[in-house]
Structures are given as structure tokens and as C-alpha cells.
Amino acid sequence: MRKLFLLAVMLIAGVAANAQNIQVHYDLGRHLYSTEEGGRQQVTATFEKFSSDNAGSWFYFVDLDINQHGMAGAYTEVSREFKVGQKGFAAHIEYNGGLNLGTSFQTSALIGGAWNGHNEDFSTTYSIQMLYKQFFGQNGNKAYSSAQLTGVWSTTFAQGKCTFSGFCDFWRGQKYNGHGQLVILSEPQLWYNVSDKVSFGTEWEVSSNFIYNPVNDKSFFVNPTLAVKFNL
């Protein structure tokens, strides 16, 4: 889900050379879309880590989806960036994959460029990534090539008490008949920072053509959560 993720979530890039957090999200989606998403996870636990070095940075997250029967799935994204010059440009390499209810997400690898920036005090950071994306064949899904545009942001305001962060991905997906379609996934988060270590907030997963829905032709979903975050 939020996949905290999300990928690329370099919201904390620049604030510290090393930063990590654990998030626990109570998902409301199955209540809002009981017909299409009645089996959606109840809770998602996420671990994120960002670290930088002289050559660039690492970022990864792991999402663990939990329902009433226990663990329902796990998803991860791992990315490495290498600095290119002094203007915030970087080369970006990424891996995405995971398991879900006895099967697996279609694994993909991405490579391309990124432009990262921030304001003077690092209270606002952003990243724009343009990537070639290769999906691998598995579980009856055919391998195919794609492209992805990603935007990531984080801004802290109200004297450090509130943080608005998230990402938005656009990529070319593929239907079962082989026809292409635009897939959109965004997961904005709003946090109230009780302290440097604990925050309470919400995430809204907004998607189009992302959630598998065999029930009807609905393709646009908004799945909110209630969440707590622990900075380690």
C-alpha cells in the first residue's frame, strides 16, 4: 500500500545521512468498497530506511499486509542513486517485488534519471524520476517493457509539528489482452509530529487501473488509513 513506498520515498533525504522509521496503518478500504475490496488487508506495517554516502544514496521499504487470518502479503522496493554532477541529478536503479496470498507480484526493475532538490533548511524536499521499467514474466503474466514517471515530496510546517509527504507514480501497465493502459498510484500522507520519535496521521492511497478488480469495471479507488509512525 503506501507503500511507503513507495519507492522512492526520499521524503527524508537530506534531513539526515541515515534515517529509518516504522509505520502501522489501519486500512479503511474494505469498509468503503466491500464489494470490490472485501478481502483487502486490515493493517499494513511498513519499515523504511534511507541512507546516503559520498556516491549517492540507498532507499528501501518493506510492506507487510495483515488481515484477520494473519499475514496476507509482503512487498518491497529497493533503490540506489548515484550522484551526477552538483545540480541534484542522479542515476537511479530500482527493484520492485513481493508475495501476495500464495502468489507473487509481477517483479520489475527500473533504471533512469532523477532530479532531487530541497529548500535551505531541508524542511521541503522533492524528487522527480524518469525511468525505464521492465516487467518480468511470471505467474501467467507476460514480460513487457514500460516507462514510469515518479514524483516524491515532503514538507514540514507549523513549526515542525506537521508533515505532508508522499509520492505519485504514472506508468504504462498492460491488460490481460496485451493492450496498454495508464496506471496511476499516489499515496499522500499527513502527519502530526508529537515528538521527534512519534507521529500520528493518515495516508490516502489514490489509484487508477492499479487494484485488481474481477467484480465489475470500477478502476478508480481512494483507500484511506489511520496511522502511527515511529522514527528510529
Side-chain angles (χ1 to χ4, degrees):
M1 65 178 294
R2 132 201 37 33
K3 268 96 225 177
L4 313 188
F5 283 175
L6 250 291
L7 162 143
V9 191
M10 294 165 46
L11 12 156
I12 40 184
V15 175
N18 294 277
Q20 54 190 356
N21 68 75
I22 294 174
Q23 302 177 25
V24 180
H25 291 256
Y26 178 73
D27 198 296
L28 302 173
R30 70 190 187 285
H31 301 301
L32 298 177
Y33 307 103
S34 58
T35 300
E36 299 87 356
E37 294 193 293
R40 187 177 174 86
Q41 71 273 0
Q42 294 178 327
V43 174
T44 295
T46 299
F47 175 75
E48 289 182 324
K49 182 174 176 63
F50 171 86
S51 62
S52 62
D53 52 51
N54 291 335
S57 63
W58 284 97
F59 174 78
Y60 73 87
F61 74 83
V62 178
D63 278 348
L64 302 177
D65 291 337
I66 303 167
N67 60 26
Q68 64 268 31
H69 303 297
M71 188 69 65
Y75 177 81
T76 186
E77 294 186 1
V78 182
S79 66
R80 171 69 188 182
E81 289 197 346
F82 297 95
K83 297 176 184 177
V84 178
Q86 303 296 320
K87 301 295 184 180
F89 293 100
H92 183 102
I93 303 173
E94 184 176 329
Y95 165 85
N96 302 339
L99 302 173
N100 184 37
L101 294 176
T103 183
S104 60
F105 293 96
Q106 189 168 12
T107 301
S108 62
L110 302 92
I111 186 169
W115 178 53
N116 306 313
H118 56 82
N119 62 357
E120 288 188 7
D121 63 0
F122 290 92
S123 60
T124 296
T125 63
Y126 55 86
S127 177
I128 300 173
Q129 302 159 14
M130 193 67 191
L131 307 168
Y132 167 80
K133 189 172 188 176
Q134 177 65 46
F135 287 93
F136 300 101
Q138 60 192 109
N139 299 325
N141 296 312
K142 294 183 179 180
Y144 67 95
S145 300
S146 180
Q148 179 169 303
L149 174 64
T150 292
V152 185
W153 72 89
S154 176
T155 183
T156 299
F157 55 98
Q159 297 181 327
K161 285 296 183 181
C162 297
T163 299
F164 177 57
S165 59
F167 71 91
C168 189
D169 290 337
F170 303 84
W171 74 89
R172 178 193 175 277
Q174 189 163 288
K175 301 178 182 180
Y176 286 106
N177 60 10
H179 292 175
Q181 63 179 353
L182 175 64
V183 182
I184 302 173
L185 175 64
S186 183
E187 293 182 357
Q189 299 180 343
L190 181 62
W191 298 100
Y192 176 74
N193 305 314
V194 179
S195 67
D196 292 339
K197 297 295 185 182
V198 180
S199 302
F200 293 97
T202 182
E203 174 185 274
W204 291 61
E205 181 191 88
V206 182
S207 67
S208 177
N209 294 322
F210 174 71
I211 294 173
Y212 174 65
N213 174 21
V215 178
N216 51 44
D217 61 358
K218 181 176 177 57
S219 61
F220 179 80
F221 294 87
V222 179
N223 291 294
T225 75
L226 298 175
V228 59
K229 177 169 65 173
F230 304 96
N231 293 314
L232 306 177

